[in-house]
């Protein structure tokens, strides 16, 4: 059974969470990305809360700016330090004085998770990342790889001041198109009931979700009417911000059109305890496409000795 819980945090943010499992059990925390919501993890919440699969307490928040969670209007409220602060407070609420068994994260949730694992590794025993680039690899590829620069150009659209209005047009036509196959066809997993779940989240507002892109300096360079926008080429990140010493699983759908395989190059240099699993014929939306494979890989990782 999945419960909906609102969790007020001490610094004023409230995160609405989908929760399965008994309080006090080891905690798995699941973080969604754009343009999604906590509901994408429902099958995994139910799977891992069952006694035969570990009997975990499984928690999936809507990140700030998404769905019913707090959605500050200011772009600055979506900078990494505030997103990390939300997670630190949520972990303290769910694991008083302890640590997560594992932090599982996809897309933008992964961007926050990489930061948290670097800054406060004591808050989790393991990290599992699904199609979310390590910040060092993403910076490198945005600076030097023309294919990744092209694949990430959509980020500039999402920074436009009218992005949320354009995304909401025609019953969210552009947002649903994010899920389409390269030939433009809708995927089989995007059923009418799943569409309704997305629609319900998007109808609560899109400004917070777009503000993740507006607040991030990690964007591809581009030509503008006013000259060049250097984007990521104007950024340097110290190595101290890139190392993750925790046992880390990276599960990657290899047919992701926006996050290319070059993002996997060099990961062991930053993540010495890395387990990399590349999944062929899987896209960015691997959680929907291959839920059994995702559950199996997470189960294997949780039981591994590393």
């Amino acid at each position: 059974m999945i419960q909906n819980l609102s969790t007020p945090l001490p610094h004023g943010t409230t995160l609405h969470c989908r929760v399965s499992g008994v309080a006090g059990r080891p905690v798995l925390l699941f973080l969604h990305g754009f343009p999604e919501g906590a509901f994408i993890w429902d099958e995994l919440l139910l799977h891992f809360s069952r006694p035969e699969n570990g009997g975990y307490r499984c928690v999936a928040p809507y990140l700030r700016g998404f769905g019913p969670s707090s959605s500050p209007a200011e772009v600055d409220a979506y900078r990494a330090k505030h997103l990390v602060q939300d997670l630190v407070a949520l972990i303290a609420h769910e694991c008083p004085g302890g640590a997560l068994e594992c932090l599982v994260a996809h897309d933008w949730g992964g961007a926050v998770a990489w930061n948290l694992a670097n800054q406060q590794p004591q808050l989790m025993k393991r990290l599992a990342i699904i199609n979310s680039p390590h910040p060092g690899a993403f910076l490198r590829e945005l600076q030097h790889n023309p294919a990744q620069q092209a694949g990430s150009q959509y980020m500039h659209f999402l920074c436009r001041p009218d992005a949320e209005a354009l995304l909401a047009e025609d019953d969210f036509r552009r947002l649903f198109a994010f899920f389409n196959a390269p030939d433009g066809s809708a995927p089989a997993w995007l059923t009418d009931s799943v569409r309704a779940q997305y629609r319900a989240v998007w109808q609560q507002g899109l400004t917070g979700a777009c503000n993740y892109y507006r607040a991030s300096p990690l964007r591809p360079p581009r030509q503008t009417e006013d000259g060049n926008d250097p984007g990521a080429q104007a950024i340097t990140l110290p190595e101290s911000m890139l190392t993750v010493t925790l046992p880390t699983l990276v599960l990657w759908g290899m047919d992701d059109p926006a996050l290319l395989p070059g993002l996997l190059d060099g990961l062991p240099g930053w993540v010495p305890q890395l387990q990399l699993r590349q999944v062929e014929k899987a896209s960015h939306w691997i959680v929907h496409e291959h839920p059994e494979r995702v559950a199996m890989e997470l189960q294997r990782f949780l039981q591994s000795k590393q």
Side-chain angles (χ1 to χ4, degrees), residues 165-184:
L166 293 171
L167 292 172
E169 285 179 355
D170 304 328
D171 187 34
F172 305 106
R173 175 180 57 82
R174 288 180 178 87
L175 277 173
F176 281 122
F178 272 72
F179 305 126
N180 288 349
D183 65 3

Side-chain angles (χ1 to χ4, degrees), residues 224-237:
T224 69
E225 293 178 0
D226 303 324
N228 288 331
D229 174 0
Q233 288 178 336
I235 299 169
T236 57
L237 292 175

Side-chain angles (χ1 to χ4, degrees), residues 88-100:
V88 171
L90 181 61
I91 293 169
H93 174 81
E94 286 290 341
C95 315
L100 299 174

